[in-house]
Amino acid sequence: MSVSSGASTYMLFRIQKEKGRTPLSDIAAIIEKTGGDIVGIDVISSDHTGTIHDIAVNVFDQAHSQLISESLQKLDGVKIIHVSDRTFLAHLGGKIEIASKISVKNRDDLSRVYTPGVAGICTAIAEQPSKAYSLTIKRNTIAVVTDGTAVLGLGDIGPLAAMPVMEGKAMLFKQFADVDAFPICLDMKDPDEMVRTIKALAPAFGGINLEDISAPRCFEIEERLKRELDIPVFHDDQHGTAVALLAGLLNALKITGKQMSEIKVVVNGIGAAGIACSKMLLSAGVKNLIGVDRNGALHRNAHYDNPYWTEFAQITNPNVETGNLSEVIKNADVFIGVSAPNILKVDDVRSMAKDPIVFAMANPIPEIDPELAKPYVKVLATGRSDGHNQINNVLCFPGIFRGALDCRASEINEAMKLAAAQAIASVVTDDELSETYIIPSVFNQEVVKKVRDAVIEAAYRTGVAQKSMRDASYG
Ligand SMILES: NC(=O)C1=CN([C@@H]2O[C@H](COP(=O)(O)OP(=O)(O)OC[C@H]3O[C@@H](n4cnc5c(N)ncnc54)[C@H](O)[C@@H]3O)[C@@H](O)[C@H]2O)C=CC1
Ligand SMILES: CC(=O)C(=O)O
Ligand SMILES: [Mg+2]
């Protein structure tokens, strides 16, 4: 399973063809001869020396694409400039844009949306800051903020390389929940500087979605921002993941007939997602939960420099089990992976209790190849979009922020997260529930609706909603 696998068999070959050498018909014939299906040929540019063409070809897989490239390279006067797949093409020029709600056609329009008209609006907000919610984009706009230090499972690849993920999150906010979100990739790592910077950016936004910030820095950054800002701050990799995970587990346990309080759960990867998922499971009633990281199981008799691990070890692993993943996974009912690719072995799965549940959620490559795990598990889920049972925070963040914005919640609290998890789980009815359908698709329109309503209800119940119920179109 490769990082780019599973997206498409459509490839675009950009080639430079020198004038008077191999004719285009021969180039097409070579592609067809390898089994490539040409679906389009475009001329990109042409001059007295030759022509640049884009040739769109349906291929079987990467190896087939490579074969076509090698065949083309052998042709006289033909040079391959680059080969792109559909995933790369979808990213050309980025994935989102800003659009105006009003068109400015004449001076009259201009003087209303810009100076001098806009000055009166600015003054109104200066006199009464809450008017920013009705007169600017603040009420519907979220900052998706990263420093690029824990991007998916790719690690610290930096803020620039993190952009495609943040644009993707922004896109999903808009598509699924009509929330306007903007990617902000900060070139800094110091938590103090990050807190200061995010606070300085906050006036333009109705909420802050922290993304892919490495642990343990992410905990301090989120805690401080929550304390110091009056808008919701939500670290997606912690809480969005935990919400989606709990939703999946609530339904998976219905299939295996086991109770939260009785199961043994092993969480592999005690970083941002792992700590939040564990805490959510503990508050949902799990008693025997063991966290495992690179050096094996975390337990209360060990010393950790990381204070979050010290706290974690105190509240988990009641039987003080020690050893590596293969040792502590024996007789576990549930494996939760939020760590690294391919670290769970088939023998580990086989050593689990009857009807094991395996949620291998590392992205883009899960802890175990689903094909290897399938014969030995009762319920299997991954974080990926190309298989069944996708447990991914995209099930949570659009709806939870939709709800928080609609009732103008000052924070996203535990009750709102629990309500979101139950709402996601409830989308799958008992009649529909099966091993391969424990969690609704992100495309199921019920998800955002149910999460929004449940989150708003919990926000009013816990006193963090700042809008009247009527204005929030709720209740
Ligand atoms: N499906 C989903 O919705 C989500 C999946 N994830 C995935 O979970 C993984 C972790 O993400 P974060 O918690 O944000 O990163 P993080 O960097 O905060 O934590 C990762 C943890 O995994 C540990 N780890 C790495 N290799 C390990 C190994 N071989 N064995 C045991 N532990 C190991 C690290 O030491 C670290 O403590 C990533 O692959 C990410 O893509 C994260 C958030 C959401
Ligand atoms: C899904 C997500 O947020 C992650 O893998 O980091
Ligand atoms: Mg993430």
Side-chain angles (χ1 to χ4, degrees):
M1 186 178 268
S2 75
V3 169
S4 58
S5 72
S8 167
T9 51
Y10 175 101
M11 305 294 289
L12 198 66
F13 295 82
R14 177 159 291 187
I15 59 158
Q16 189 170 26
K17 186 177 87 59
E18 282 178 36
K19 206 177 184 103
R21 315 277 281 273
T22 306
L24 189 59
S25 55
D26 284 9
I27 294 174
I30 282 285
I31 295 174
E32 299 277 352
K33 203 171 149 197
T34 68
D37 174 25
I38 297 177
V39 289
I41 300 182
D42 286 316
V43 177
I44 301 305
S45 66
S46 183
D47 62 19
H48 66 281
T49 63
T51 317
I52 294 179
H53 292 281
D54 271 351
I55 308 181
V57 185
N58 274 327
V59 300
F60 303 126
D61 53 24
Q62 289 288 341
H64 186 200
S65 168
Q66 184 63 28
L67 178 68
I68 293 174
S69 295
E70 284 163 11
S71 308
L72 292 176
Q73 261 152 356
K74 285 185 196 146
L75 296 175
D76 180 40
V78 174
K79 195 174 134 207
I80 295 181
I81 300 174
H82 59 73
V83 182
S84 326
D85 68 13
R86 200 157 61 180
T87 306
F88 270 87
L89 294 174
H91 284 81
L92 283 182
K95 299 193 290 267
I96 55 170
E97 64 179 5
I98 297 222
S100 303
K101 289 180 179 170
I102 306 166
S103 63
V104 182
K105 296 195 208 74
N106 50 45
R107 285 193 169 275
D108 192 34
D109 291 343
L110 187 63
S111 65
R112 246 195 298 277
V113 299
Y114 192 48
T115 178
V118 74
I121 310 301
C122 298
T123 311
I125 296 171
E127 285 166 0
Q128 197 180 327
S130 65
K131 285 200 169 149
Y133 279 96
S134 52
L135 296 171
T136 74
I137 60 171
K138 183 177 175 77
R139 73 167 154 191
N140 200 48
T141 308
I142 298 297
V144 178
V145 185
T146 191
D147 58 1
T149 50
V151 181
L152 307 177
L154 305 174
D156 184 357
I157 58 171
L160 198 59
M163 273 294 279
V165 174
M166 305 311 129
E167 285 184 23
K169 296 273 175 186
M171 215 178 159
L172 300 174
F173 264 119
K174 186 67 183 172
Q175 169 159 346
F176 292 131
D178 200 22
V179 169
D180 297 301
F182 196 80
I184 294 179
C185 298
L186 300 175
D187 189 5
M188 57 182 69
K189 283 187 179 164
D190 174 53
D192 289 336
E193 197 184 358
M194 286 185 68
V195 169
R196 243 192 336 271
T197 306
I198 296 167
K199 278 176 71 181
L201 288 166
F205 297 98
I208 306 287
N209 183 85
L210 301 173
E211 191 67 46
D212 293 354
I213 299 174
S214 66
R217 296 153 60 257
C218 61
F219 303 122
E220 180 195 340
I221 292 167
E222 189 199 35
E223 280 161 19
R224 284 179 53 190
L225 287 170
K226 280 179 94 157
R227 266 200 313 274
E228 295 173 32
L229 286 173
D230 60 355
I231 54 176
V233 177
F234 182 83
H235 183 200
D236 181 36
D237 297 288
Q238 289 184 62
H239 314 300
T241 314
V243 165
L245 161 74
L246 178 58
L249 192 58
L250 284 168
N251 282 344
L253 289 180
K254 286 188 199 163
I255 289 175
T256 60
K258 298 179 186 177
Q259 302 299 315
M260 286 280 182
S261 58
E262 290 164 1
I263 54 176
K264 173 177 173 183
V265 179
V266 170
V267 177
N268 198 66
I270 305 305
I275 290 187
C277 287
S278 300
K279 286 188 172 172
M280 189 115 198
L281 294 182
L282 294 178
S283 56
V286 172
K287 302 234 175 322
N288 188 8
L289 184 147
I290 300 165
V292 181
D293 209 272
R294 293 174 205 266
N295 294 327
L298 274 69
H299 58 90
R300 67 196 56 188
N301 295 339
H303 169 80
Y304 303 108
D305 291 335
N306 176 346
Y308 297 94
W309 276 14
T310 306
E311 186 212 341
F312 182 92
Q314 291 300 326
I315 58 174
T316 56
N317 200 351
N319 303 323
V320 197
E321 292 192 39
T322 57
N324 61 24
L325 176 62
S326 299
E327 290 167 296
V328 297
I329 201 169
K330 289 193 176 85
N331 296 319
D333 299 281
V334 179
F335 169 86
I336 311 286
V338 270
S339 52
N342 300 321
I343 45 84
L344 183 67
K345 306 292 169 233
V346 167
D347 281 348
D348 298 333
V349 179
R350 294 180 72 179
S351 76
M352 291 175 71
K354 187 168 178 282
D355 294 338
I357 295 171
V358 170
F359 292 171
M361 293 160 61
N363 287 318
I365 303 172
E367 281 77 2
I368 187 166
D369 185 331
E371 292 308 316
L372 294 178
K374 259 180 210 161
Y376 306 103
V377 297
K378 184 74 175 171
V379 183
L380 177 74
T382 69
R384 290 171 63 101
S385 311
D386 53 2
H388 58 246
N389 288 342
Q390 181 187 22
I391 300 189
N392 191 293
N393 49 31
V394 64
L395 284 160
C396 172
F397 65 79
I400 213 162
F401 268 106
R402 181 71 278 154
L405 291 172
D406 285 352
C407 68
R408 202 171 305 153
S410 55
E411 61 176 38
I412 293 173
N413 59 27
E414 295 308 307
M416 290 157 83
K417 288 185 249 169
L418 183 62
Q422 287 164 341
I424 296 168
S426 76
V427 174
V428 179
T429 63
D430 287 349
D431 286 346
E432 293 169 325
L433 188 66
S434 75
E435 283 91 336
T436 53
Y437 188 46
I438 54 157
I439 193 96
S441 155
V442 301
F443 294 102
N444 186 324
Q445 294 187 347
E446 286 295 295
V447 174
V448 167
K449 246 191 287 172
K450 287 203 173 192
V451 171
R452 174 208 181 258
D453 284 356
V455 162
I456 293 179
E457 190 279 326
Y460 282 112
R461 181 162 36 85
T462 53
V464 298
Q466 301 179 98
K467 234 182 185 183
S468 78
M469 271 205 195
R470 193 173 45 82
D471 289 346
S473 320
Y474 173 79

